Amino acid sequence: MTKPKAVIYDNDGMLMHGGRFSEQYSREFGVDLAVMSRFFETSFKLCLIGKADLREELAKVLEDWEWKGTADELMRYWFSIGDTLYEDTHASVGKLKEQGVVVCLATNQEKYRLQYLTKKFSYDSLFDEIFSSSELGALKHSEEGLEKISRKLKEAHSIADRGEVMYWDDRESQIKNLGEGGFNAQLYTDYPAFRKTLEEYGLRL
């Protein structure tokens, strides 16, 4: 097995947990999920790749969602959901860096939540690279996104072989794309399995 020179973490489901915004909002405010789903199927997809601004798009649905405050207040409520760290996974980032591994975060994230997470958890100092869909201009697991991630690793860290990049994700549907893209794709299920896999590749946690 090729010892990875870089390890890429997923955010939601691997580093963080705490529930889904739309489901909690629906329960708390009595708004039908079907009403909210239209936003997530259209405007939000554009926000994820930096083609639309979340604050502006939310302002258009405040009435439909029966939100009494501003778009900024809604974003603060939103971002407070699902922002609980998995302490063991979080701590593993520093342990890998101590062993000379280039440690990255790849996340399908619109810019305001990325800013929120980066500030709250110091992601910019924790990770060597942050690959966000809103900055890539493409979803992280898409062909375009993977090409941009690969190019950055090559230019900034001299890692040209995608097989030397262990790319984790908690969604099985994305693992296929990562593997077909040449990365060492790994499905994240829980921390013990994560640690065991890394140890099999010669990395200590």
Side-chain angles (χ1 to χ4, degrees):
M1 293 186 290
T2 302
K3 188 174 183 178
K5 293 182 178 179
V7 173
I8 299 181
Y9 285 68
D10 185 17
N11 187 69
D12 297 296
M14 184 173 180
L15 278 168
M16 315 203 70
H17 64 99
R20 294 175 63 86
F21 159 68
S22 57
E23 293 172 356
Q24 180 164 325
Y25 189 95
S26 177
R27 288 195 301 270
E28 187 169 343
F29 298 102
V31 177
D32 193 325
L33 275 173
V35 173
M36 302 183 72
S37 68
R38 291 194 291 270
F39 170 81
F40 288 101
E41 291 167 2
T42 55
S43 303
F44 187 63
K45 288 184 177 180
L46 296 176
C47 296
L48 280 178
I49 57 173
K51 304 298 184 185
D53 185 281
L54 182 62
R55 179 186 287 117
E56 296 174 1
E57 296 305 316
L58 282 177
K60 301 174 185 178
V61 298
L62 295 180
E63 185 175 349
D64 290 343
W65 289 13
E66 301 177 26
W67 179 258
K68 306 304 180 184
T70 65
D72 283 303
E73 290 168 336
L74 179 53
M75 284 196 292
R76 284 195 291 272
Y77 167 87
W78 179 344
F79 301 160
S80 70
I81 298 168
D83 71 343
T84 303
L85 282 174
Y86 284 116
E87 296 292 346
D88 45 12
T89 314
H90 180 262
S92 71
V93 177
K95 294 176 182 178
L96 290 178
K97 289 180 76 171
E98 290 172 358
Q99 297 169 69
V101 178
V102 176
V103 188
C104 310
L105 176 70
T107 179
N108 287 330
Q109 208 73 245
E110 64 78 38
K111 66 178 181 180
Y112 293 113
R113 185 164 185 253
L114 178 66
Q115 291 168 5
Y116 168 83
L117 295 173
T118 299
K119 181 178 180 180
K120 182 170 183 177
F121 299 109
S122 301
Y123 275 179
D124 50 350
S125 58
L126 180 66
F127 291 101
D128 295 304
E129 300 289 347
I130 298 175
F131 301 116
S132 169
S133 58
S134 58
E135 296 178 349
L136 292 171
L139 296 178
K140 65 174 188 175
H141 57 283
S142 68
E143 184 176 346
E144 180 183 355
L146 294 178
E147 176 58 34
K148 290 180 176 179
I149 289 172
S150 183
R151 188 184 311 140
K152 180 65 174 180
L153 289 172
K154 182 178 179 179
E155 293 174 351
H157 304 282
S158 301
I159 302 174
D161 183 356
R162 292 186 178 188
E164 295 177 326
V165 180
M166 183 179 281
Y167 198 139
W168 290 84
D169 200 282
D170 72 329
R171 295 191 180 187
E172 196 163 0
S173 60
Q174 296 186 7
I175 294 300
K176 181 180 179 181
N177 286 26
L178 301 179
E180 290 177 349
F183 293 90
N184 180 352
Q186 299 286 340
L187 178 65
Y188 185 84
T189 55
D190 55 42
Y191 182 76
F194 170 70
R195 181 178 59 195
K196 181 180 178 182
T197 298
L198 287 175
E199 289 176 348
E200 289 172 350
Y201 279 85
L203 295 170
R204 304 178 308 277
L205 291 183

